[in-house]
Amino acid sequence: MKKIKFGIAGLGRLGKVHAQNIASKIENAELTAACSIVANELDFARDKLGVKNVYSDYKEMLSKADIDAVAIITTSSEHCWQIAAALDAGKHVFSDKPLGTTIDECRLAEEAVLRHPDLIFFLGFMRRFDPSYTYAMDQIKAGKIGKPYMVKATGIDPEALVQSAIKFSPTSGGIFIDMAIHDIDLMRWFLGSDPIEVYAGGSTFKHPEFKKSNDDETGIAMYKCANGSMGFIHVGRTASYGYHVETEVIGTEGTLRISPVPEKNLCFIYDQYGVRQECVGSFPERFAEAYLLEMENFVNCIQKNKKPDVNVYDGTKSTQIAFATAESYKKNSLISIKY
Amino acid sequence: MKKIKFGIAGLGRLGKVHAQNIASKIENAELTAACSIVANELDFARDKLGVKNVYSDYKEMLSKADIDAVAIITTSSEHCWQIAAALDAGKHVFSDKPLGTTIDECRLAEEAVLRHPDLIFFLGFMRRFDPSYTYAMDQIKAGKIGKPYMVKATGIDPEALVQSAIKFSPTSGGIFIDMAIHDIDLMRWFLGSDPIEVYAGGSTFKHPEFKKSNDDETGIAMYKCANGSMGFIHVGRTASYGYHVETEVIGTEGTLRISPVPEKNLCFIYDQYGVRQECVGSFPERFAEAYLLEMENFVNCIQKNKKPDVNVYDGTKSTQIAFATAESYKKNSLISIKY
Amino acid sequence: MKKIKFGIAGLGRLGKVHAQNIASKIENAELTAACSIVANELDFARDKLGVKNVYSDYKEMLSKADIDAVAIITTSSEHCWQIAAALDAGKHVFSDKPLGTTIDECRLAEEAVLRHPDLIFFLGFMRRFDPSYTYAMDQIKAGKIGKPYMVKATGIDPEALVQSAIKFSPTSGGIFIDMAIHDIDLMRWFLGSDPIEVYAGGSTFKHPEFKKSNDDETGIAMYKCANGSMGFIHVGRTASYGYHVETEVIGTEGTLRISPVPEKNLCFIYDQYGVRQECVGSFPERFAEAYLLEMENFVNCIQKNKKPDVNVYDGTKSTQIAFATAESYKKNSLISIKY
Amino acid sequence: MKKIKFGIAGLGRLGKVHAQNIASKIENAELTAACSIVANELDFARDKLGVKNVYSDYKEMLSKADIDAVAIITTSSEHCWQIAAALDAGKHVFSDKPLGTTIDECRLAEEAVLRHPDLIFFLGFMRRFDPSYTYAMDQIKAGKIGKPYMVKATGIDPEALVQSAIKFSPTSGGIFIDMAIHDIDLMRWFLGSDPIEVYAGGSTFKHPEFKKSNDDETGIAMYKCANGSMGFIHVGRTASYGYHVETEVIGTEGTLRISPVPEKNLCFIYDQYGVRQECVGSFPERFAEAYLLEMENFVNCIQKNKKPDVNVYDGTKSTQIAFATAESYKKNSLISIKY
């Protein structure tokens, strides 16, 4: 198989993970170009990963670098125009979630994808590639839990990182835009239906700073879906024990619960605190394997000219739902979701 | 200590449990009278428990039997007048939940309790006496999880008993009146605040019979409370694995999760199905110890002239909340709860 | 059913548990007499349990008290002659384990049981009545794990109680005589075969005081049984997390593992220590229900004239095996066990 | 960093895993040569991994290929001479466990390592690199469980693969030589001491074929170590639920238990079988990450000229202990282990 040549845009915390994966952990991929507006991110690409062609201008990378594909791990508000530009330059595109930060942005991306039916567009909802989530979906497809009719999802960032959340709260769009997008995607994926109504709320009992930016440290939302199924999402930022992502899918014949204990590993400690497991501390730790597997899947889609399971419209819809949730939260009212 | 002499009213499924506990498992209690409109329930009391004085008329038992206390385990709609009658007859009263099936009924009970400040009135929210729930509350009172600000509760009856649920659905008041009252009580207890707003929904994917009586096999409700805390309740009737009651209390410093696996016992089976635990099959199995402990607590309150932790107003409020939840469910709208 | 009248001998820590159970928790049982050489144990019986007839002399209780059955919860070395005396006085006998502290003592008890085939003799291996253990045996009898061929057992007392273990070490017979008897009984019960060879060892890394009395804080023993099955027992006295009894039964088709986490209750705590359960702190806490159930079973055997599952020879054999284990430990050699 | 050029010898089941890891998953490694006596293994290297230089003769690879290091994943009896030949040819060596199949073979390897102090010799006890085991050792080094004084280890192959075990039983050296070597290594690693005495046994209740080759389907062994600590190892071949590797390390202040449930992933299934997790099916599945991490560690040792944690003497000792265990098993006697 011919190796896919990648250019990466954005080498922040998650960008570095993807860059290293592409550079040395993915069969049939190589990292040949990198782009960032942050100088030391380019140093990282050059010095640690041996990337020769580095750019501070995204369009320059598109026009000059010898690349087949672009991985976009930039600030969310840049995603959509960068997706369109890369597709228009004939490159396959992997974009980190969310698709965009406004519906208008998302439409731009949709149109670009439509213009280039022969190029692969891949949206990085990596949780779908985590082996436990993939396994859950396989069980569902095999009919093991009957018809799935409810999803209960939890996503809580660690208290250890709360100062960063407080700092970015004023510009993050609030807890639902910032955090619930993965849970929304999973809910749609598992239920096979779109929510048409949402009611949301939030609370802050620990860090009043969130209230100052009209945000909250914890948010919850309840959804009713088009096919009669239902969802409940709980997002937060103050887990004392680590990074907690848990999802429950309830079906007519059984229930799947993924990661009720966000265990760091398989070791149980028996000591003065009882019997316990320590927990993962962050999303890169929890989803290390998923980040690798989604990129392998992207490469595989390119090589076999196969459409990914997630499409650009999934990206728009999850953004729409997050906005409707935020609206319900701000207005304290029931919101209908229209697509 | 002087033994407390009990008369019991109602010896159905749960009534029998209480009758046997009072008769032979509670120190300082004895069962001296029984009342039922069902003949073979009186036979049970006479023949199995050796109760000599049995009555088919409740008021007759109150006036004639040599009893200090009455345990009311009758149909919900009979509770309130029976409470009032017993108190007016000078008896201490233990009543099964719910307090009543209408707010008007509850007010009658409230007034009777007010009239008799020297008598003990005990409302049987037995989950509070389950050792795991008691332990959770002790942890909370000791400040171990900081300020509790969210409760997520699950209560699912077993699929094995669903035909009974279908049969009684038309007269049960619907899934929220019928099933959520315990979860509502726990939510109020753990959060120390009353819900002021509710949004509820339901679905039926397995047994369309529920739809025929404008009911559902699964119901969910989201609550916002007076102090800013929040709740989510999920009730259902189709658990393939058994009887599932689970409660999560989330606080600023930690989370308590009670019974995520409704384990039958401490035995793990390693076999062709993986590693597994079998589950409890019913509420009498799950809460056997709680039924005993709450009655011991009632006896103890009488002997020490101590007020129980749950009072009559808790009973009214949980009923009010259940009705508001049912209203939200039926109207598909946000409902404010006023007390 | 006629109530069985009990006299109890010995009201120490465990004796009090049994006395209270007989007095107020067992249907068809009543505690009418008590005997102890410790004055305040008799005060307890008289004042707390309302036992009118108390004795400082065991034989006097046998001859004078109006009792059908005796519960013997005295020092181990007194068990056998007290068993014989009670049977010879025409009383049914419940004796705490171990049967005796020497084989000669055990033979006396065996002969007394033989002399009185119409009386019930019940040996208190209460673990067999713990619902998890009973369930495990039911699974085995139902063929769920095929042919059981190995038992791995763990029994560790809590560090919190180690000073008492150190104090009694010189007279306790050592760790195997003192602690392994329950595990030996379970091994025989689950495997359906007797060990014919044992190799044992021990170690002390925390409390050198044990070494002074030629004892150890931890002991292990490996067994080969007559039918080719095998066992491994680990006993200790220094669990920092509580009281740990765990048993694994391995069969040709599956494995049962009872209580790998000696959980205090069903509550999981998510906090700065990870996700954890607190543990039971002592044998009365862990086996509270088993103590009740075994006594109910004894009463039931008397009422229905049914032989208990454990017989006097089981008592002798477990003592023989414990002695052989201690011999292997002391001599550091392989010991054949002959019955 | 300069990339390390690898030649691999042996591309069977595990060899393929290592070959793929070296070829495309390890930073700073490349697979430039491959050697096998099996033609289609060389086809795999050439066609799937793009290895240009393939050899059917090991010595030819050593003399002709442009390689810095050799990975030896051949039949156990070939390891030692291949190790010596590679070191004498100036190559760094990674060898799969066990070091050798006789002590004499091991001595050859020891001498070769001694002759080449500047070359890295790495023995593939990959379990030490599994994140859960690494974490456990980190906890121990940090003093979290005090002084470790007992290891209980379980290693059971799945019933699904038993026919292969039966087939190779006559030539495998028996269950202890074949299976216990990893557990022996872990026991030595965690306890920091060598066993000086062993008693072993075995049984077969399911597949009598093992008995025909004087082997057993299950083996157990108890060890006493030089520093007074102790070990117990249970190996088997008939787990109905999957591949089960579990290790418990007991210390004076706490216990670590690694993988009591050999969970396939983080998904819990609630269905008619109870609440369950499915299990891993094989060693490549369970230890996929460990195989990668040990090879990364080897590359890192080469690049930084750092000695690996496991040395050649560890290899000899684990082989000696396995032989002593097998001797005890065959003779049914206590065996002293001398080094």
Side-chain angles (χ1 to χ4, degrees):
Chain A
M1 285 279 183
K2 179 181 159 293
K3 284 207 172 191
I4 306 300
K5 293 174 187 160
F6 272 80
I8 192 166
L11 291 108
R13 190 180 187 199
L14 180 57
K16 283 191 178 67
V17 171
H18 281 301
Q20 289 174 303
N21 283 347
I22 296 166
S24 59
K25 303 229 172 258
I26 312 264
E27 210 180 346
N28 297 324
E30 56 187 321
L31 186 63
T32 57
C35 165
S36 174
I37 54 173
V38 181
N40 64 21
E41 291 185 9
L42 295 181
D43 295 344
F44 173 85
R46 201 189 300 105
D47 302 343
K48 300 281 176 186
L49 304 180
V51 177
K52 280 167 196 151
N53 305 299
V54 303
Y55 305 87
S56 58
D57 183 80
Y58 178 70
K59 288 181 179 166
E60 196 186 340
M61 179 173 79
L62 290 184
S63 63
K64 294 192 178 161
D66 177 22
I67 53 178
D68 306 305
V70 175
I72 298 171
I73 326 289
T74 52
T75 304
S76 299
S77 56
E78 308 293 312
H79 290 176
C80 288
W81 77 261
Q82 292 182 336
I83 291 165
L87 290 167
D88 289 340
K91 314 300 181 192
H92 302 288
V93 173
F94 173 101
S95 172
D96 186 27
K97 63 89 225 172
L99 179 58
T101 56
T102 69
I103 306 305
D104 284 349
E105 285 173 19
C106 293
R107 298 295 181 214
L108 282 179
E110 286 182 3
E111 287 157 19
V113 169
L114 257 183
R115 277 197 301 279
H116 301 286
D118 296 343
L119 293 173
I120 301 299
F121 171 73
F122 194 104
L123 189 58
F125 281 121
M126 84 291 177
R127 286 191 197 172
R128 295 192 184 198
F129 291 90
D130 173 75
S132 298
Y133 282 95
T134 303
Y135 170 88
M137 185 46 110
D138 290 345
Q139 298 294 308
I140 291 168
K141 284 181 178 165
K144 296 293 178 69
I145 63 162
K147 169 71 184 162
Y149 64 85
M150 179 152 38
V151 162
K152 296 196 268 188
T154 301
I156 318 179
D157 277 345
E159 172 70 21
L161 302 177
V162 77
Q163 290 309 324
S164 159
I166 289 169
K167 187 175 159 197
F168 289 106
S169 172
T171 57
S172 73
I175 190 162
F176 292 108
I177 304 294
D178 193 35
M179 295 200 54
I181 198 103
H182 283 295
D183 302 292
I184 289 168
D185 178 62
L186 290 177
M187 177 176 66
R188 293 183 63 247
W189 190 45
F190 283 127
L191 294 179
S193 184
D194 289 324
I196 54 173
E197 207 161 53
V198 59
Y199 180 55
S203 73
T204 294
F205 281 89
K206 194 173 167 73
H207 298 290
E209 298 93 323
F210 284 113
K211 283 287 187 199
K212 287 185 197 158
S213 45
N214 291 315
D215 197 5
D216 264 318
E217 63 195 17
T218 293
I220 62 173
M222 183 174 132
Y223 299 90
K224 296 182 182 177
C225 295
N227 73 347
S229 60
M230 306 178 291
F232 176 73
I233 290 178
H234 163 208
V235 286
R237 288 150 160 165
T238 59
S240 56
Y241 45 94
Y243 173 67
H244 186 173
V245 169
E246 174 177 351
T247 311
E248 189 173 350
V249 188
I250 301 162
T252 47
E253 309 302 328
T255 285
L256 300 173
R257 192 178 288 193
I258 302 146
S259 196
V261 174
E263 58 182 34
K264 191 177 204 65
N265 53 48
L266 303 173
C267 190
F268 287 74
I269 306 171
Y270 291 60
D271 64 9
Q272 71 266 41
Y273 305 112
V275 177
R276 61 195 182 96
Q277 283 190 288
E278 293 201 314
C279 296
V280 291
S282 65
F283 68 86
E285 181 182 359
R286 170 65 183 86
F287 289 110
E289 193 172 1
Y291 287 120
L292 196 61
L293 291 168
E294 67 171 355
M295 198 60 80
E296 285 183 353
N297 191 277
F298 175 52
V299 168
N300 199 257
C301 286
I302 296 173
Q303 290 185 321
K304 304 201 171 150
N305 194 26
K306 227 178 48 181
K307 289 291 167 200
D309 284 341
V310 190
N311 64 37
V312 69
Y313 305 104
D314 291 315
T316 307
K317 282 187 173 172
S318 56
T319 300
Q320 284 177 299
I321 298 164
F323 271 100
T325 307
E327 187 186 352
S328 172
Y329 163 69
K330 282 172 193 159
K331 296 184 175 167
N332 191 36
S333 67
L334 210 50
I335 296 294
S336 290
I337 311 175
K338 293 187 180 66
Y339 299 93
Chain B
M1 285 279 182
K2 179 180 160 292
K3 283 207 173 191
I4 306 300
K5 292 174 187 161
F6 273 80
I8 191 165
L11 292 108
R13 190 181 186 200
L14 180 57
K16 283 192 178 66
V17 171
H18 281 300
Q20 289 173 303
N21 284 345
I22 295 166
S24 59
K25 301 227 173 260
I26 312 265
E27 210 181 347
N28 298 323
E30 55 187 323
L31 187 63
T32 56
C35 166
S36 173
I37 53 172
V38 181
N40 64 21
E41 291 184 10
L42 295 181
D43 295 344
F44 173 85
R46 201 188 302 105
D47 302 344
K48 300 282 176 185
L49 305 180
V51 176
K52 280 166 198 154
N53 305 300
V54 302
Y55 304 87
S56 57
D57 182 79
Y58 178 71
K59 288 180 180 167
E60 195 187 342
M61 179 173 78
L62 290 183
S63 63
K64 294 191 179 163
D66 176 22
I67 53 178
D68 306 304
V70 175
I72 298 172
I73 326 289
T74 52
T75 303
S76 300
S77 55
E78 308 292 313
H79 290 177
C80 289
W81 77 261
Q82 292 183 334
I83 291 166
L87 290 167
D88 289 339
K91 313 299 180 193
H92 302 288
V93 173
F94 173 99
S95 172
D96 187 26
K97 62 88 224 170
L99 179 59
T101 57
T102 69
I103 306 305
D104 284 349
E105 285 173 18
C106 293
R107 297 299 180 211
L108 283 180
E110 286 182 5
E111 287 157 18
V113 169
L114 257 182
R115 276 198 300 278
H116 302 286
D118 295 343
L119 293 173
I120 301 299
F121 172 72
F122 194 104
L123 189 57
F125 281 121
M126 84 291 179
R127 286 191 197 171
R128 296 191 184 199
F129 292 90
D130 174 75
S132 299
Y133 282 94
T134 303
Y135 170 89
M137 184 46 109
D138 289 345
Q139 298 293 308
I140 290 169
K141 285 181 177 164
K144 295 293 178 68
I145 64 162
K147 169 72 186 163
Y149 65 85
M150 179 151 37
V151 162
K152 298 197 268 188
T154 301
I156 318 180
D157 277 345
E159 173 69 20
L161 302 176
V162 77
Q163 290 309 324
S164 159
I166 289 169
K167 187 176 159 197
F168 290 105
S169 172
T171 57
S172 73
I175 190 162
F176 292 107
I177 304 294
D178 192 35
M179 296 200 55
I181 199 104
H182 283 295
D183 302 292
I184 289 168
D185 178 62
L186 290 177
M187 177 175 68
R188 292 182 64 247
W189 189 47
F190 283 128
L191 294 178
S193 184
D194 289 324
I196 54 173
E197 207 162 54
V198 59
Y199 180 54
S203 74
T204 294
F205 281 90
K206 193 171 168 73
H207 298 290
E209 297 91 325
F210 284 112
K211 284 287 187 199
K212 286 185 198 158
S213 45
N214 291 315
D215 197 5
D216 264 317
E217 63 197 17
T218 294
I220 61 175
M222 182 175 133
Y223 299 90
K224 297 182 183 177
C225 295
N227 73 348
S229 61
M230 305 178 292
F232 177 73
I233 290 178
H234 163 208
V235 286
R237 288 151 161 165
T238 59
S240 56
Y241 45 95
Y243 173 67
H244 186 172
V245 168
E246 174 178 352
T247 312
E248 189 173 351
V249 188
I250 302 163
T252 48
E253 309 302 327
T255 284
L256 301 174
R257 191 177 288 193
I258 302 146
S259 195
V261 174
E263 58 183 34
K264 192 176 204 68
N265 53 48
L266 303 173
C267 189
F268 287 74
I269 307 170
Y270 291 61
D271 65 9
Q272 72 266 40
Y273 304 112
V275 178
R276 61 195 181 96
Q277 283 190 287
E278 292 200 313
C279 296
V280 291
S282 65
F283 68 85
E285 181 182 0
R286 171 64 183 87
F287 290 110
E289 194 173 0
Y291 288 119
L292 196 59
L293 291 168
E294 66 170 357
M295 199 59 80
E296 286 184 351
N297 191 277
F298 174 53
V299 169
N300 198 255
C301 286
I302 296 173
Q303 291 186 317
K304 303 199 169 153
N305 194 27
K306 226 178 49 180
K307 289 291 166 199
D309 285 341
V310 191
N311 63 37
V312 71
Y313 305 104
D314 291 316
T316 307
K317 282 186 174 173
S318 57
T319 299
Q320 283 178 301
I321 297 164
F323 271 100
T325 307
E327 186 186 353
S328 171
Y329 163 70
K330 282 172 193 159
K331 296 185 175 166
N332 191 35
S333 66
L334 210 50
I335 297 293
S336 290
I337 311 175
K338 291 186 182 67
Y339 299 93
Chain C
M1 285 280 182
K2 178 179 160 295
K3 284 206 173 191
I4 305 300
K5 293 175 187 160
F6 273 80
I8 191 165
L11 291 110
R13 189 180 187 199
L14 181 57
K16 283 191 178 65
V17 171
H18 281 300
Q20 288 174 303
N21 284 346
I22 295 166
S24 59
K25 303 228 173 258
I26 312 263
E27 210 181 346
N28 297 325
E30 55 186 322
L31 187 63
T32 55
C35 166
S36 174
I37 53 173
V38 180
N40 64 20
E41 290 184 11
L42 295 181
D43 295 344
F44 173 86
R46 201 188 302 104
D47 302 344
K48 301 282 176 187
L49 305 180
V51 176
K52 279 165 199 154
N53 306 301
V54 301
Y55 305 87
S56 58
D57 182 79
Y58 178 72
K59 288 180 181 168
E60 194 186 342
M61 179 173 79
L62 290 184
S63 63
K64 294 191 179 165
D66 176 21
I67 54 178
D68 307 304
V70 175
I72 299 171
I73 327 290
T74 52
T75 303
S76 299
S77 54
E78 308 293 311
H79 290 176
C80 288
W81 77 262
Q82 292 183 333
I83 291 166
L87 290 167
D88 288 339
K91 314 298 181 192
H92 303 288
V93 174
F94 173 100
S95 172
D96 186 27
K97 63 90 225 169
L99 179 58
T101 55
T102 68
I103 306 306
D104 284 349
E105 285 173 18
C106 293
R107 298 296 180 213
L108 283 179
E110 286 182 3
E111 286 157 18
V113 169
L114 259 182
R115 277 198 300 279
H116 301 286
D118 296 341
L119 293 173
I120 301 299
F121 172 73
F122 194 104
L123 189 57
F125 281 121
M126 85 290 178
R127 287 191 196 171
R128 296 191 184 199
F129 291 90
D130 173 74
S132 298
Y133 282 94
T134 303
Y135 171 88
M137 184 47 109
D138 288 346
Q139 298 294 308
I140 290 168
K141 284 181 178 165
K144 295 294 178 69
I145 63 162
K147 169 72 185 164
Y149 63 85
M150 177 150 41
V151 162
K152 298 197 268 188
T154 300
I156 319 181
D157 277 344
E159 172 70 20
L161 303 177
V162 78
Q163 290 309 324
S164 159
I166 288 169
K167 187 176 158 197
F168 290 105
S169 172
T171 57
S172 73
I175 191 161
F176 292 107
I177 303 294
D178 192 35
M179 296 200 54
I181 199 104
H182 283 295
D183 302 291
I184 288 168
D185 178 61
L186 290 177
M187 177 176 67
R188 292 182 64 246
W189 190 45
F190 283 128
L191 294 179
S193 184
D194 290 323
I196 53 173
E197 205 162 54
V198 59
Y199 180 55
S203 73
T204 294
F205 281 90
K206 194 172 167 71
H207 298 290
E209 298 91 326
F210 284 113
K211 284 287 187 199
K212 286 185 198 157
S213 46
N214 290 315
D215 197 4
D216 263 317
E217 64 196 17
T218 294
I220 61 175
M222 183 174 133
Y223 299 89
K224 297 183 183 177
C225 296
N227 73 348
S229 61
M230 305 179 292
F232 177 72
I233 290 177
H234 162 206
V235 285
R237 289 152 159 165
T238 61
S240 56
Y241 44 95
Y243 173 67
H244 187 172
V245 169
E246 174 178 351
T247 312
E248 190 173 350
V249 188
I250 301 163
T252 48
E253 308 303 327
T255 285
L256 300 174
R257 191 178 289 193
I258 302 146
S259 196
V261 174
E263 58 183 34
K264 190 177 204 66
N265 53 47
L266 301 174
C267 189
F268 287 76
I269 306 170
Y270 291 60
D271 66 8
Q272 71 267 39
Y273 305 112
V275 177
R276 61 196 180 95
Q277 282 189 289
E278 293 200 313
C279 296
V280 291
S282 63
F283 68 85
E285 182 182 359
R286 170 65 183 88
F287 289 109
E289 195 173 1
Y291 287 120
L292 196 59
L293 291 168
E294 67 171 356
M295 199 60 79
E296 286 184 352
N297 192 277
F298 174 53
V299 169
N300 199 256
C301 285
I302 295 172
Q303 292 186 317
K304 304 199 170 151
N305 194 25
K306 226 178 50 180
K307 288 291 167 200
D309 285 341
V310 192
N311 63 37
V312 69
Y313 305 103
D314 292 314
T316 307
K317 281 187 174 173
S318 56
T319 299
Q320 283 177 301
I321 297 164
F323 272 100
T325 306
E327 185 186 354
S328 171
Y329 163 69
K330 282 172 193 160
K331 296 185 175 167
N332 191 36
S333 66
L334 211 50
I335 297 293
S336 291
I337 311 175
K338 290 184 183 67
Y339 299 94
Chain D
M1 285 280 182
K2 180 179 159 293
K3 284 208 171 189
I4 306 300
K5 292 175 186 159
F6 273 80
I8 191 166
L11 291 109
R13 190 181 187 199
L14 180 56
K16 283 191 178 66
V17 171
H18 281 301
Q20 288 173 304
N21 283 346
I22 296 167
S24 61
K25 302 231 171 256
I26 312 263
E27 212 181 344
N28 296 323
E30 56 187 322
L31 186 63
T32 56
C35 166
S36 174
I37 53 174
V38 181
N40 64 20
E41 291 185 9
L42 296 181
D43 295 344
F44 173 85
R46 201 188 301 104
D47 302 344
K48 300 281 177 186
L49 304 179
V51 176
K52 279 167 198 150
N53 305 300
V54 302
Y55 305 87
S56 58
D57 183 80
Y58 178 71
K59 288 181 179 165
E60 194 186 342
M61 179 172 80
L62 289 184
S63 62
K64 292 193 178 162
D66 177 22
I67 53 177
D68 306 305
V70 175
I72 299 171
I73 327 289
T74 51
T75 304
S76 299
S77 56
E78 308 293 311
H79 289 176
C80 288
W81 76 262
Q82 292 182 335
I83 290 166
L87 290 168
D88 289 339
K91 314 300 182 192
H92 302 289
V93 173
F94 173 101
S95 173
D96 186 28
K97 64 89 228 173
L99 179 59
T101 55
T102 68
I103 307 305
D104 284 348
E105 285 173 20
C106 292
R107 297 298 180 211
L108 283 179
E110 286 182 4
E111 286 157 17
V113 169
L114 256 183
R115 276 198 302 279
H116 302 285
D118 295 342
L119 293 173
I120 302 299
F121 172 73
F122 194 104
L123 189 57
F125 281 121
M126 83 292 177
R127 286 191 196 171
R128 296 191 184 199
F129 291 90
D130 173 74
S132 298
Y133 282 94
T134 304
Y135 170 88
M137 185 46 110
D138 289 346
Q139 298 294 308
I140 291 168
K141 284 181 178 165
K144 296 293 179 67
I145 63 162
K147 169 71 185 165
Y149 65 84
M150 178 150 40
V151 163
K152 297 197 268 188
T154 301
I156 318 180
D157 278 344
E159 172 69 21
L161 302 177
V162 77
Q163 290 308 325
S164 160
I166 289 169
K167 187 176 158 196
F168 289 106
S169 171
T171 57
S172 73
I175 191 163
F176 292 107
I177 304 294
D178 193 33
M179 297 201 54
I181 198 104
H182 283 295
D183 303 292
I184 289 168
D185 178 62
L186 290 176
M187 176 176 67
R188 292 183 63 246
W189 190 46
F190 283 127
L191 294 179
S193 184
D194 291 323
I196 54 173
E197 207 161 53
V198 59
Y199 180 55
S203 74
T204 293
F205 281 90
K206 194 172 167 71
H207 298 289
E209 298 93 324
F210 284 112
K211 285 288 188 198
K212 287 186 197 157
S213 45
N214 290 315
D215 197 4
D216 263 316
E217 64 196 16
T218 293
I220 61 174
M222 182 175 134
Y223 299 90
K224 296 182 181 177
C225 295
N227 74 347
S229 61
M230 306 179 291
F232 176 72
I233 290 177
H234 163 207
V235 286
R237 288 150 160 167
T238 60
S240 56
Y241 44 95
Y243 173 68
H244 187 173
V245 169
E246 173 178 351
T247 311
E248 189 173 352
V249 188
I250 301 162
T252 47
E253 308 302 327
T255 284
L256 301 173
R257 191 178 288 193
I258 302 146
S259 197
V261 175
E263 58 181 34
K264 191 176 204 68
N265 53 47
L266 303 173
C267 190
F268 287 74
I269 306 171
Y270 292 60
D271 66 9
Q272 72 267 40
Y273 304 111
V275 178
R276 61 195 181 97
Q277 284 189 287
E278 292 200 316
C279 296
V280 291
S282 64
F283 69 81
E285 181 182 0
R286 170 64 184 87
F287 289 109
E289 195 173 0
Y291 288 120
L292 197 60
L293 290 169
E294 67 170 357
M295 199 59 81
E296 286 184 353
N297 190 279
F298 175 53
V299 168
N300 199 256
C301 285
I302 296 173
Q303 291 185 318
K304 304 200 169 151
N305 194 26
K306 226 178 48 181
K307 289 291 166 199
D309 284 342
V310 191
N311 64 37
V312 70
Y313 305 104
D314 292 315
T316 307
K317 282 185 173 173
S318 57
T319 300
Q320 284 178 299
I321 298 164
F323 271 100
T325 306
E327 186 186 352
S328 172
Y329 163 69
K330 283 173 192 157
K331 296 184 175 167
N332 190 35
S333 66
L334 210 51
I335 297 292
S336 291
I337 310 175
K338 293 188 180 64
Y339 298 93

